[in-house]
Amino acid sequence: MPSIMPGDLTTTVFDTVRWQARLEALRAEHGVPGASLAVLAGGRVHELASGVLHSGTGVEVTTDSVFQLGSVAKVYTATLVMQLAESGELDLDAPVTDVLPDFSVADADAAGGITVRRLLSHTGGLTCDFTLDTGRGDDCLARYVEAAEGVPLDCPPGTALSYSSVGYNVLGRIVEVLTGLTWDEALKQRLLQPLGLERTMTLPEEALRFRAAMGHLGEPGRDPEPAPVWDMMPRSAGPYGRVLATAGDVVRFARMHLDGGMAPDGTRVLDPGTVAMMRRREADCPDKWSVSADGWGLGWSLHDWNGVQGYGHDGAATGQYAYLRVVPETGLAIALTTNGGSARLLYAELFRELLQELAGVRMPDAFAPPAVPPAVDLTSLAGTYTRAGVVISVTGHDGAGRLVYEFVDGMRDFSPPIEAELVPVSRTVSGTTVETVFAASGVGAAFSEDWMPVVFTTLADGSSYCCIGMRAAPKAP
């Protein structure tokens, strides 16, 4: 099939047979039990499926199977928030306390600097890995936000990008207060129903109506086993991580954004200006490799493919991984849902081929240290870095570095401590900001199959941070 040039929609032809065979081959190669792929190309949605939903039952994946989307849910929440901003019910640049008067954080002086815009772009300073089961009641989100008040900030609001699930739960609570609905019901009434997304949902009992994927866990190189539980997330995780959908429905959601906020039946979900605002750069991302994004908009991760701009989001749940990429120049959207194995490698190889052939763009090469690593003195970087739920210990001498990433408190059962060797990648100095990048080896399936980026950065005020998975951990005194 010939490749096309960006912007040339009329010549886009999707060879279903060929891509089905490619999905089958790559899924098997990377040990992924089951996967579903949806591609919007040439104005049509193409849906493919491969493998099994559960290796123990052998039930096959079909295009109408639903998977957990993990953090892709954040874009759905962002869309709800932008509807409220568009209608004038919400000021993006006003403090969160204007809507949630009782909202507070551990640093009382910082609360006034936490705005809706900053939460959408992960620059509000709120941390990520605060997990709390506040029950199944309709008040679960209100109780979560109240409980998060004592959780320390990752960094001062507006100073750096630090990926925050807590921030998106605060946004979800704002949606509840302004609509008078639970977040689940607001999503259904204001987004899913207007778009006709009949196989998108938020609650486990809703998923029981459909063929639902089971997550699988295991070490690389071995066949993954079904996870001990279908879902570890409480209901309160909804705004940041609890949307379930078919890959096709994910692409249909993305199509609304490509179509300037218009639903297929002509219903306007967002204004074109709001859609454009969501994918406008709000913050640079020091970690440009974890999700291959070099910046963040209002909900979307932003991608630069050799000058061609795109956007998307990644997500992870219990052994399930989802990926969404959109190229507005060509009207292309690709969604992949998986249930375990080396899903990151499947995504990288498959999307690299799809984006090249269907949009004429090239994804960056996989993150790895250079053949000859630069000499970096780790003395000033050694120490302990902490954020809610995580302690990172860094040691180094004679050019060799080592990292221990340990989950603590409410996250202590998430994974055993992760140990990795640090290989220097680069060091850049810009004014008072110093950024040093390392590649961590031997991390394992919890983070990365190959090399994990570890970024040490110094903010303008001289404070030092270690960024892993786009989460900033300040250095302990």
Side-chain angles (χ1 to χ4, degrees):
M1 180 175 64
S3 61
I4 64 169
M5 295 301 294
D8 185 1
L9 289 175
T10 60
T11 60
T12 304
V13 178
F14 187 82
D15 187 337
T16 302
V17 174
R18 178 189 172 196
W19 288 113
Q20 177 68 46
R22 194 65 182 135
L23 175 63
E24 294 275 4
L26 290 175
R27 180 195 60 77
E29 178 183 341
H30 296 301
V32 176
S36 184
L37 173 71
V39 178
L40 171 65
R44 293 182 55 197
V45 176
H46 309 270
E47 299 177 72
L48 309 176
S50 174
V52 296
L53 294 170
H54 189 302
S55 63
T57 65
V59 176
E60 294 183 347
V61 180
T62 55
T63 56
D64 59 359
S65 299
V66 299
F67 289 73
Q68 295 177 44
L69 303 183
S71 285
V72 177
K74 291 180 173 67
V75 189
Y76 292 75
T77 297
T79 301
L80 289 177
V81 169
M82 295 305 291
Q83 286 179 333
L84 295 169
E86 181 178 286
S87 67
E89 298 169 81
L90 183 63
D91 182 349
L92 295 180
D93 296 307
V96 167
T97 50
D98 280 11
V99 182
L100 305 178
D102 295 331
F103 172 76
S104 64
V105 293
D107 181 354
D109 295 335
I114 300 175
T115 65
V116 174
R117 184 184 301 275
R118 285 175 173 172
L119 293 184
L120 286 167
S121 60
H122 297 287
T123 58
L126 294 180
T127 196
C128 187
D129 300 316
F130 173 69
T131 301
L132 182 67
D133 188 346
T134 52
R136 285 273 307 176
D138 288 351
D139 64 344
C140 65
L141 200 51
R143 294 174 61 196
Y144 175 97
V145 172
E146 181 181 1
E149 292 176 356
V151 178
L153 297 177
D154 285 352
C155 53
T159 61
L161 186 153
S162 189
Y163 188 80
S164 175
S165 288
V166 175
Y168 268 76
N169 262 11
V170 175
L171 292 171
R173 180 59 184 151
I174 288 173
V175 169
E176 291 189 334
V177 169
L178 293 182
T179 64
L181 303 168
T182 64
W183 172 84
D184 304 88
E185 191 60 31
L187 183 69
K188 187 178 300 181
Q189 292 186 23
R190 299 171 67 95
L191 195 56
L192 305 185
Q193 290 175 352
L195 292 177
L197 302 180
E198 298 178 354
R199 293 183 181 274
T200 302
M201 65 224 66
T202 61
L203 300 175
E205 58 268 29
E206 297 173 313
L208 288 173
R209 297 180 294 145
F210 306 104
R211 299 166 71 98
M214 183 72 183
H216 293 70
L217 303 172
E219 293 301 316
R222 298 181 180 180
D223 290 337
E225 297 289 335
V229 294
W230 177 73
D231 184 14
M232 294 178 65
M233 292 186 183
R235 183 183 175 188
S236 61
Y240 73 72
R242 174 65 87 66
V243 171
L244 302 99
T246 62
D249 262 15
V250 176
V251 160
R252 292 181 183 95
F253 165 74
R255 183 173 195 165
M256 177 272 291
H257 281 269
L258 277 170
D259 289 344
M262 191 77 75
D265 66 356
T267 300
R268 180 152 295 286
V269 178
L270 288 173
D271 285 340
T274 303
V275 170
M277 187 188 305
M278 289 183 68
R279 57 182 188 245
R280 192 174 300 146
R281 182 180 295 264
E282 292 285 335
D284 293 331
C285 187
D287 176 359
K288 299 173 174 57
W289 307 276
S290 288
V291 296
S292 67
D294 65 327
W296 224 273
L298 298 177
W300 292 112
S301 58
L302 304 181
H303 306 261
D304 185 339
W305 296 302
N306 293 315
V308 178
Q309 304 303 309
Y311 56 93
H313 214 288
D314 293 358
T318 307
Q320 301 195 43
Y321 306 90
Y323 306 89
L324 172 62
R325 295 291 182 271
V326 185
V327 188
E329 282 191 14
T330 60
L332 176 70
I334 310 171
L336 175 69
T337 54
T338 66
N339 64 350
S342 299
R344 291 178 181 85
L345 299 183
L346 167 61
Y347 143 76
E349 196 164 351
L350 183 61
F351 275 48
R352 185 168 283 110
E353 295 177 11
L354 284 164
L355 287 170
Q356 175 65 47
E357 194 144 334
L358 300 178
V361 298
R362 182 177 179 274
M363 283 175 56
D365 294 334
F367 175 75
V372 180
V376 174
D377 183 2
L378 282 88
T379 304
S380 63
L381 304 177
T384 301
Y385 300 77
T386 63
R387 59 181 179 82
V390 171
V391 174
I392 304 168
S393 302
V394 178
T395 56
H397 62 278
D398 297 332
R402 186 167 182 80
L403 174 146
V404 178
Y405 190 105
E406 183 179 5
F407 293 98
V408 298
D409 302 327
M411 294 290 292
R412 62 184 176 275
D413 296 326
F414 185 80
S415 169
I418 296 167
E419 300 186 23
E421 302 296 329
L422 296 176
V423 181
V425 174
S426 64
R427 185 175 187 273
T428 57
V429 180
S430 177
T432 58
T433 300
V434 180
E435 182 178 287
T436 309
V437 180
F438 289 83
S441 65
V443 175
F447 280 87
S448 172
E449 307 296 342
D450 296 322
W451 297 92
M452 180 180 75
V454 178
V455 181
F456 294 92
T457 185
T458 303
L459 301 185
D461 63 0
S463 54
S464 299
Y465 289 82
C466 176
C467 299
I468 297 178
M470 299 176 299
R471 296 149 167 85
K475 191 174 186 179

